């Protein structure tokens, strides 16, 4: 990886997380780097150690490594076991590699604007003031998969209920998590999925008749 490029005053960093949109982001970065004839870097960040990645995550990383070799990427950074905020890690990598352009996907936070109203992007802009950002929307097929099964998401909250949790639509002092509830199409009950951020990670739990079906998923121990 990393042949000499004709233009060294520009460099591109593609930030990817786990999911089918990652390859699309990398290829978008490659097209930009080819046009500009500048170095291309890839970064992925995870709070878990690399050897604790599940099979699906490992497959995505392996595929991105293959792409990095195929597209002659300058370097592929895996920041595992990372406990710092994502924006700070991106900023550090950008500083160390003289990055001038950053490509990020339309994250789960921005897909469901009700959660943060673009706050993650605002954090990045405050943390990294010396680069241009390119935000690539999530693949249409991924959106359709979500939108076809569930109604439009609404702001909701998780509160403790005995040994478990239940979804509520009223903000109160006992709220444990704020997120978006997607109700299943064709049901009169509060059945569906609840998505929320926890430790800089997008988490998801299933809701049946207002109740979280598997409370252990609250800490995102599994996906």
């Amino acid at each position: 990886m990393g042949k000499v490029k004709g233009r060294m005053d520009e460099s591109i960093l593609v930030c990817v997380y786990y999911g089918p949109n990652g390859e699309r982001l990398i290829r978008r970065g490659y097209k930009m780097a080819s046009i500009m004839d500048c170095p291309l870097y890839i970064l992925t960040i995870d709070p878990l150690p690399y050897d604790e990645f599940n099979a699906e995550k490992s497959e995505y990383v392996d595929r991105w490594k293959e792409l990095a070799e195929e597209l002659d990427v300058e370097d592929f950074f895996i920041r595992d076991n990372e406990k710092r905020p994502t924006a700070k890690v991106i900023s550090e990598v950008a500083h160390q590699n003289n990055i001038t352009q950053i490509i990020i996907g339309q994250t789960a936070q921005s897909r469901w604007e009700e959660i943060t109203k673009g706050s993650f992007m605002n954090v990045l802009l405050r943390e990294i003031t010396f680069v241009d950002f390119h935000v690539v929307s999530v693949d249409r097929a991924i959106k359709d998969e979500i939108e076809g099964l569930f109604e439009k998401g609404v702001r909701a909250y998780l509160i403790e209920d005995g040994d478990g949790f239940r979804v509520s639509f009223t903000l109160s002092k006992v709220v444990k998590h704020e997120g978006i509830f997607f109700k299943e199409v064709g049901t009169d009950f509060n059945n569906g999925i609840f998505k929320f951020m926890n430790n800089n990670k997008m988490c998801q739990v299933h809701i049946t008749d207002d109740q979280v079906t598997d409370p252990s998923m609250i800490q995102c121990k599994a996906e």
Side-chain angles (χ1 to χ4, degrees), residues 14-37:
V14 179
C15 300
V16 291
Y17 193 59
Y18 305 101
N21 211 37
E23 182 170 341
R24 182 165 172 252
L25 292 178
I26 293 171
R27 293 193 180 279
R28 174 68 64 88
Y30 173 71
K31 287 182 180 179
M32 288 180 56
S34 297
I35 293 172
M36 300 172 70
D37 193 22

Side-chain angles (χ1 to χ4, degrees), residues 81-162:
N81 200 25
E82 184 58 71
K83 307 307 180 186
R84 293 175 297 167
T86 300
K88 288 192 176 297
V89 180
I90 295 175
S91 177
E92 179 181 86
V93 172
H95 275 287
Q96 291 173 347
N97 296 276
N98 300 314
I99 300 298
T100 60
Q101 314 272 337
I102 293 179
I103 297 176
I104 62 174
Q106 185 184 23
T107 65
Q109 286 171 296
S110 54
R111 266 183 270 158
W112 295 288
E113 293 179 342
E114 296 90 339
I115 295 178
T116 62
K117 297 188 182 298
S119 63
F120 180 65
M121 191 67 219
N122 291 336
V123 170
L124 281 176
L125 290 171
R126 288 195 301 269
E127 189 74 30
I128 312 172
T129 59
F130 54 91
V131 304
D132 294 327
F133 284 94
H134 305 269
V135 182
V136 180
S137 64
V138 69
D139 191 292
R140 183 70 233 177
I142 301 172
K143 283 187 176 180
D144 289 343
E145 180 180 346
I146 295 171
E147 293 169 359
L149 298 175
F150 302 96
E151 297 178 3
K152 182 180 179 180
V154 297
R155 186 186 295 272
Y157 311 92
L158 288 185
I159 62 176
E160 288 185 307
D161 184 26

Side-chain angles (χ1 to χ4, degrees), residues 43-205:
L43 168 65
T44 187
I45 305 167
D46 198 282
L48 291 177
Y50 184 78
D51 58 6
E52 292 184 16
F53 288 3
N54 62 28
E56 184 179 19
K57 287 183 179 183
S58 296
E59 286 176 5
Y60 280 126
V61 171
D62 289 344
R63 175 55 184 154
W64 296 338
K65 287 179 179 178
E66 292 176 0
L67 269 179
E69 292 287 348
E70 174 188 330
L71 303 179
D72 197 31
V73 169
E74 194 75 16
D75 214 335
F76 177 24
F77 304 108
I78 302 176
R79 292 297 183 89
D80 65 321
N81 200 25
E82 184 58 71
K83 307 307 180 186
R84 293 175 297 167
T86 300
K88 288 192 176 297
V89 180
I90 295 175
S91 177
E92 179 181 86
V93 172
H95 275 287
Q96 291 173 347
N97 296 276
N98 300 314
I99 300 298
T100 60
Q101 314 272 337
I102 293 179
I103 297 176
I104 62 174
Q106 185 184 23
T107 65
Q109 286 171 296
S110 54
R111 266 183 270 158
W112 295 288
E113 293 179 342
E114 296 90 339
I115 295 178
T116 62
K117 297 188 182 298
S119 63
F120 180 65
M121 191 67 219
N122 291 336
V123 170
L124 281 176
L125 290 171
R126 288 195 301 269
E127 189 74 30
I128 312 172
T129 59
F130 54 91
V131 304
D132 294 327
F133 284 94
H134 305 269
V135 182
V136 180
S137 64
V138 69
D139 191 292
R140 183 70 233 177
I142 301 172
K143 283 187 176 180
D144 289 343
E145 180 180 346
I146 295 171
E147 293 169 359
L149 298 175
F150 302 96
E151 297 178 3
K152 182 180 179 180
V154 297
R155 186 186 295 272
Y157 311 92
L158 288 185
I159 62 176
E160 288 185 307
D161 184 26
D163 294 330
F165 294 83
R166 65 179 175 86
V167 67
S168 171
F169 301 95
T170 303
L171 178 61
S172 68
K173 293 182 179 180
V174 297
V175 164
K176 295 298 182 181
H177 295 285
E178 177 181 353
I180 300 298
F181 176 65
F182 294 86
K183 185 177 180 179
E184 290 180 358
V185 172
T187 178
D188 293 330
F189 303 97
N190 286 327
N191 301 329
I193 57 175
F194 179 85
K195 291 180 177 281
F196 62 102
M197 294 300 298
N198 189 21
N199 297 322
N200 295 317
K201 181 180 179 182
M202 177 55 66
C203 303
Q204 170 180 311
V205 292

